[in-house]
């Protein structure tokens, strides 16, 4: 199947809040311990934003990190896309706040909320807008302040999540584009299994018992992901006319290390070729995939020409991803 991508990733940056929340810190907040958390999730630490630090602040700092490596990264950007399910406000968008801070002229702005699938949605949208000829240079940011909506009395959720932001530049290329295939799926009939209320206190008829605090059915989601996502990955590969043997790196949403291990076992794909970010940063929702890529680039793991499967899954329920060639 021919996929006519005209975009390339040309710059990557990230920001991680200074405050570290360790498993031992969490022992003082909820009935848990380091051994239990690591055994169940693989998470040892996570970062949390300061009280006055929000998704837009982290997004701006991720762009600052990007600019230290690519000084012209935001020159001539004509669209800013931010993936987040923890925006500062219902309006204005985080993207608009970033545009305003940097004074980027003649740029459109929009936020995308696809929860933990957000980055792959954003990457696909950015590539599509460039390939269609509407835009030439897009700033794609993933920024999540999950600590702002976390219930730190619920040991099943607060042990998993952390805060982070990433910033990618995607540009038009005259040669072959990076995206080889994309595939997305949703099941809104299961939406009540991952929630955070704002205006309404119910989803699919289920009353949400916590106001503006994150809730999820962990056991259900684990079973759903392990059962559903392998088929989603295989369908994506089929569209790209590739097999797992062609893939240098698998980059799944870093929700939970045990979940990722189960996925890799089902796919018969080696963990050593799987990029994750949750051991020291937790589940940073839409930022986990780009953060894992940023970490791998820092470690010089990813090489030009490497084919990668990026696959997100989470609230919505949504899941989907892209195959790209670095």
């Amino acid at each position: 199947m021919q996929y006519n991508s005209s975009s390339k990733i040309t710059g990557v940056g990230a920001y991680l809040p200074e405050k570290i929340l360790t498993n031992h810190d969490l022992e003082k907040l909820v009935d848990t311990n380091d051994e239990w958390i690591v055994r169940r999730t693989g998470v040892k630490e996570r970062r949390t934003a300061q009280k006055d630090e929000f998704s837009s602040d982290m997004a701006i700092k991720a762009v600052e990190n990007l600019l230290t490596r690519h000084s012209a990264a935001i020159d001539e950007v004509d669209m800013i896309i931010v993936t987040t399910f923890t925006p500062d406000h219902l309006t204005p968008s985080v993207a608009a706040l970033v545009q305003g801070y940097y004074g980027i002229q003649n740029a459109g702005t929009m936020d995308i909320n696809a929860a933990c699938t957000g980055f792959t949605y954003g990457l696909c949208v950015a590539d599509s807008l460039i390939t269609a000829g509407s835009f030439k240079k897009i700033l794609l940011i993933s920024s999540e302040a999950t600590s702002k909506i976390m219930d730190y009395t619920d040991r099943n959720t607060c042990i998993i999540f952390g805060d982070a932001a990433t910033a990618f530049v995607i540009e038009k290329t005259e040669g072959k584009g990076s995206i080889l295939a994309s595939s997305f799926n949703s099941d809104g009939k299961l939406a009540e299994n991952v929630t955070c209320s704002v205006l309404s206190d119910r989803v699919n008829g289920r009353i949400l018992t916590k106001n503006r605090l994150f809730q999820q059915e962990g056991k259900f989601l684990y079973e759903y992901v392990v059962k559903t996502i392998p088929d989603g990955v295989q369908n994506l590969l089929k569209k790209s006319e590739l097999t797992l043997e062609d893939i240098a790196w698998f980059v799944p949403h870093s929700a939970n290390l045990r979940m990722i291990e189960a996925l890799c076992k089902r796919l018969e794909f080696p963990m050593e070729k799987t990029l994750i970010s949750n051991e020291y940063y937790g589940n940073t929702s839409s930022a986990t995939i780009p953060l894992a890529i940023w970490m791998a680039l820092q470690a010089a793991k990813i090489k030009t020409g490497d084919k990668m499967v990026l696959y997100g899954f989470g609230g919505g329920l949504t899941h989907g991803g892209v195959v790209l060639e670095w």
Side-chain angles (χ1 to χ4, degrees):
M1 182 181 293
Q2 186 66 33
Y3 194 98
N4 297 315
S5 170
S6 298
S7 76
K8 283 273 189 185
I9 296 169
T10 59
V12 178
Y15 170 72
L16 295 156
E18 293 181 6
K19 184 179 178 182
I20 297 173
L21 184 66
T22 68
N23 290 346
H24 297 296
D25 293 328
L26 286 170
E27 290 174 1
K28 302 170 187 175
L29 299 176
V30 291
D31 180 16
T32 192
N33 61 70
D34 176 67
E35 187 275 332
W36 188 84
I37 296 172
V38 173
R39 176 164 46 85
R40 288 176 63 92
T41 72
V43 179
K44 296 178 180 176
E45 296 177 356
R46 70 288 294 144
R47 301 295 180 94
T48 58
Q50 298 295 332
K51 186 176 180 180
D52 59 350
E53 186 176 42
F54 297 89
S55 288
S56 66
D57 303 298
M58 295 195 299
I60 288 165
K61 289 172 182 176
V63 174
E64 289 176 358
N65 178 258
L66 170 71
L67 291 170
T68 64
R69 293 168 169 75
H70 313 277
S71 59
I74 61 175
D75 293 353
E76 299 181 340
V77 160
D78 47 9
M79 175 62 76
I80 303 169
I81 300 172
V82 174
T83 72
T84 185
F85 88 110
T86 57
D88 307 26
H89 317 284
L90 294 175
T91 192
S93 68
V94 174
L97 296 174
V98 173
Q99 182 276 333
Y101 179 87
Y102 284 105
I104 300 171
Q105 299 299 312
N106 305 313
T109 57
M110 63 172 161
D111 287 1
I112 294 176
N113 177 3
C116 302
T117 319
F119 177 75
T120 53
Y121 268 93
L123 188 58
C124 184
V125 170
D127 174 70
S128 298
L129 291 173
I130 290 172
T131 300
S134 302
F135 298 88
K136 292 184 178 180
K137 189 173 185 180
I138 294 178
L139 180 59
L140 173 61
I141 299 169
S142 296
S143 187
E144 303 283 10
T146 66
S147 63
K148 305 296 184 186
I149 58 168
M150 206 52 51
D151 179 359
Y152 283 99
T153 67
D154 178 3
R155 72 171 187 169
N156 293 313
T157 55
C158 72
I159 65 169
I160 300 171
F161 287 87
D163 301 340
T166 60
F168 279 45
V169 176
I170 298 131
E171 296 189 64
K172 183 175 178 57
T173 177
E174 297 304 321
K176 181 183 177 184
S178 295
I179 306 298
L180 306 182
S182 65
S183 179
F184 294 91
N185 293 274
S186 301
D187 195 341
K189 290 182 179 179
L190 302 174
E192 68 274 13
N193 290 286
V194 187
T195 62
C196 182
S197 69
V198 180
L199 301 181
S200 173
D201 65 354
R202 64 189 64 206
V203 177
N204 288 348
R206 179 186 293 181
I207 296 176
L208 307 181
T209 57
K210 299 177 183 179
N211 183 36
R212 302 194 180 193
L213 290 174
F214 181 81
Q215 297 174 252
Q216 70 174 18
E217 300 295 332
K219 184 176 185 295
F220 171 85
L221 291 171
Y222 183 96
E223 293 172 353
Y224 175 85
V225 166
V226 174
K227 178 182 177 182
T228 307
I229 302 311
D231 289 341
V233 171
Q234 292 292 359
N235 181 59
L236 175 60
L237 286 166
K238 185 177 179 180
K239 290 180 72 173
S240 69
E241 298 182 346
L242 297 172
T243 68
L244 282 170
E245 285 71 32
D246 300 311
I247 302 304
W249 300 105
F250 177 38
V251 197
H253 165 49
S254 285
N256 178 314
L257 181 59
R258 306 310 162 216
M259 187 183 289
I260 296 168
E261 289 171 342
L263 281 179
C264 288
K265 184 177 181 180
R266 287 282 299 273
L267 287 165
E268 298 182 353
F269 191 83
M271 275 296 295
E272 58 267 26
K273 294 171 64 178
T274 301
L275 302 179
I276 59 173
S277 58
N278 66 333
E279 183 177 10
Y280 290 101
Y281 305 119
N283 178 344
T284 54
S285 190
S286 72
T288 69
I289 290 174
L291 185 58
I293 293 172
W294 178 79
M295 291 168 62
L297 289 170
Q298 297 293 103
K301 289 183 176 181
I302 300 172
K303 310 247 181 333
T304 300
D306 280 356
K307 292 181 177 65
M308 306 165 64
V309 170
L310 283 50
Y311 208 91
F313 44 86
L317 297 180
T318 61
H319 67 92
V322 301
V323 178
L324 68 81
E325 184 173 335
W326 196 260

